[in-house]
Amino acid sequence: MTHQTPTWITICETCKRPDWAERGMDKTDGEILAEAIEPRAAAAGIKTRRVACTMGCERACNIIVQGAGKIGYSLGKFDGNDSDADAIVSYALQHAASPSGQVPFRDWPQGVKGHFVSRHLPPPSDPAEDA
């Protein structure tokens, strides 16, 4: 599937779920989620990047789905497992196929429902709108 502009999944690799220390983890939950998302996204033609923090610590694990000129979405409270990664990439594909970035609720993968935190409108493309 080709897209006019790439869709990106930004993954907070420093996210730690509240019980991280008790679980004796060597990696952060965000790193584990990134490792699960990256190969799936690459196979689907979705770009990924890791960042140090998305400032959503109380909702770890956090990701952002975005594309140029489209509405972007922050999602959180993922466990970082394979089913989370499958749902996130599936949703990112739907976002990529949408001209505006909006995907009807009925089409969302079950694994992303209840994980949306916020929506980010793209900046205006018309210089007159800046006035």
Side-chain angles (χ1 to χ4, degrees):
M1 173 183 281
T2 57
H3 317 292
Q4 289 181 345
T5 60
T7 288
W8 287 85
I9 302 172
T10 299
I11 308 152
C12 179
E13 70 177 356
T14 56
C15 276
K16 296 176 185 172
R17 293 185 6 236
D19 62 345
W20 181 80
E22 291 82 7
R23 288 183 284 131
M25 302 294 291
D26 291 331
K27 295 180 182 181
T28 65
D29 295 302
E31 288 174 300
I32 293 167
L33 181 59
E35 289 171 359
I37 289 173
E38 289 164 343
R40 290 167 170 82
I46 302 292
K47 304 282 188 184
T48 60
R49 66 179 176 164
R50 295 182 188 201
V51 296
C53 185
T54 60
M55 298 184 78
C57 301
E58 70 279 1
R59 293 179 301 274
C61 290
N62 296 287
I63 60 102
I64 303 166
V65 177
Q66 57 199 148
K70 295 183 176 190
I71 296 171
Y73 296 90
S74 296
L75 295 87
K77 293 191 177 178
F78 289 104
D79 292 329
N81 57 37
D82 288 339
S83 62
D84 286 342
D86 289 337
I88 290 165
V89 172
S90 182
Y91 177 77
L93 280 168
Q94 293 174 318
H95 181 273
S98 167
S100 67
Q102 290 181 293
V103 177
F105 176 80
R106 69 179 174 274
D107 297 333
W108 293 0
Q110 187 62 40
V112 299
K113 291 180 178 179
H115 292 273
F116 284 80
V117 175
S118 63
R119 141 176 119 150
H120 310 273
L121 299 175
S125 58
D126 181 356
E129 291 182 46
D130 293 334

